Amino acid sequence: SIFQGSLIPNTSYPDGSINLDGAWDVQTGQPYVKVGVYDDPIYWKHEDFGDGTFSGSKVKGGYDYYNSTEIQNVDEPPNSHGTAVAGVIGALRNNGIGVAGIAGGDVDGTGNTGADLYSMAIFNNNNLAPFNVVANAIEEGASSFGLGLHVQNHGWVTNINSTELRTAIIYGFQNECLLVAGRGNGGAENIYFPACSSWGDWVLSVGANGTTGKLHTSTTSNGFSSSFGLYMDLLAPGVTELVGTTQFDGAPFNWPICGLSG
């Protein structure tokens, strides 16, 4: 696999990376770490997740909460967002295909396939499931009686302070599950849940940086701006010059660097 865009410093963008090469010298991801992608369904057939079969995919489970069906029944997601997020997290590394996920293991070296992925589908083409359904997905993911996820990545926002969601977020924290949430694409200091307000005590809130390593704005690329302020904890690369990733070619993104479809 190639490196993830410019997550490693290079001459074109020396300041926008997360110094991933050095991190891989320490750790490349382990299969016993379970990461849930709370988003659109992951295209688990993608060649950078495995051999095209569900049993041979590093997407080990999950559920389509929006449509109430097992995730292995969803072989054509309506949107590539969840697949793109999953690729950044854990696309197989050193398998000679596509991109290298941050926690994608070392396939041709040690045979390690990296962190296991779980597709927690709470979207259907950008339509969020009802709050009680999302809350149930969070609790089932965090519970040792459910999936026992170690990390939940939440690629969604709402401006509604839902008691059900707040209770679920606290439950996840109490079960020692790390909840990571995007700060939003609105380019302002507005409150969006679950990433900010009082929920910030239990959630790692992440904004986007551009090619300079500073907060991303629409004046640079991609046509969106990262929200900021309040309880935001850190920035991560959020522009196509810095990050390439996986997608479902039946519902592609209109971003050239995301053209790594299977």
Side-chain angles (χ1 to χ4, degrees):
S1 299
I2 62 172
F3 287 147
Q4 267 286 14
S6 297
L7 295 185
I8 295 167
N10 62 32
T11 55
S12 298
Y13 306 113
D15 301 317
S17 76
I18 58 172
N19 297 312
L20 189 53
D21 203 16
W24 280 335
D25 290 336
V26 178
Q27 179 59 258
T28 62
Q30 296 291 339
Y32 56 75
V33 177
K34 301 178 179 180
V35 182
V37 178
Y38 285 72
D39 211 298
D40 288 292
I42 300 173
Y43 182 52
W44 49 262
K45 288 185 176 182
H46 197 288
E47 60 187 354
D48 221 353
F49 296 138
D51 63 9
T53 68
F54 189 74
S55 61
S57 173
K58 68 175 297 173
V59 180
K60 297 301 182 182
Y63 193 73
D64 185 343
Y65 289 87
Y66 194 97
N67 294 299
S68 300
T69 187
E70 299 294 333
I71 202 66
Q72 57 262 43
N73 296 332
V74 186
D75 55 3
E76 293 191 357
N79 188 292
S80 281
H81 195 272
T83 304
V85 171
V88 173
I89 295 170
L92 292 168
R93 176 176 170 269
N94 284 347
N95 62 340
I97 297 171
V99 297
I102 292 171
D106 185 14
V107 176
D108 287 343
T110 63
N112 173 21
T113 56
D116 283 348
L117 300 173
Y118 287 78
S119 182
M120 310 297 281
I122 57 172
F123 272 104
N124 187 58
N125 203 20
N126 294 323
N127 294 311
L128 183 66
F131 288 154
N132 66 309
V133 175
V134 177
N136 181 51
I138 293 170
E139 293 175 354
E140 286 190 349
S143 172
S144 59
F145 298 101
L147 293 175
L149 300 176
H150 299 96
V151 181
Q152 296 184 13
N153 188 93
H154 291 272
W156 58 277
V157 299
T158 179
N159 58 5
I160 299 174
N161 191 347
S162 162
T163 300
E164 290 173 306
L165 289 179
R166 185 177 185 274
T167 300
I169 293 291
I170 296 173
Y171 179 86
F173 177 83
Q174 291 174 334
N175 278 266
E176 300 183 346
C177 182
L178 175 61
L179 280 74
V180 182
R183 181 63 181 83
N185 300 336
E189 202 172 359
N190 297 335
I191 292 175
Y192 293 116
F193 304 103
C196 55
S197 190
S198 61
W199 298 13
D201 293 335
W202 310 297
V203 176
L204 185 69
S205 174
V206 183
N209 68 265
T211 56
T212 64
K214 297 180 180 179
L215 188 76
H216 173 58
T217 66
S218 61
T219 58
T220 52
S221 68
N222 296 152
F224 78 94
S225 298
S226 175
S227 296
F228 57 89
L230 297 174
Y231 288 79
M232 189 168 70
D233 297 298
L234 51 85
L235 296 176
V239 293
T240 55
E241 292 91 341
L242 300 178
V243 184
T245 190
T246 49
Q247 69 171 359
F248 170 48
D249 57 7
F253 283 129
N254 189 27
W255 293 354
I257 203 169
C258 290
L260 302 165
S261 56

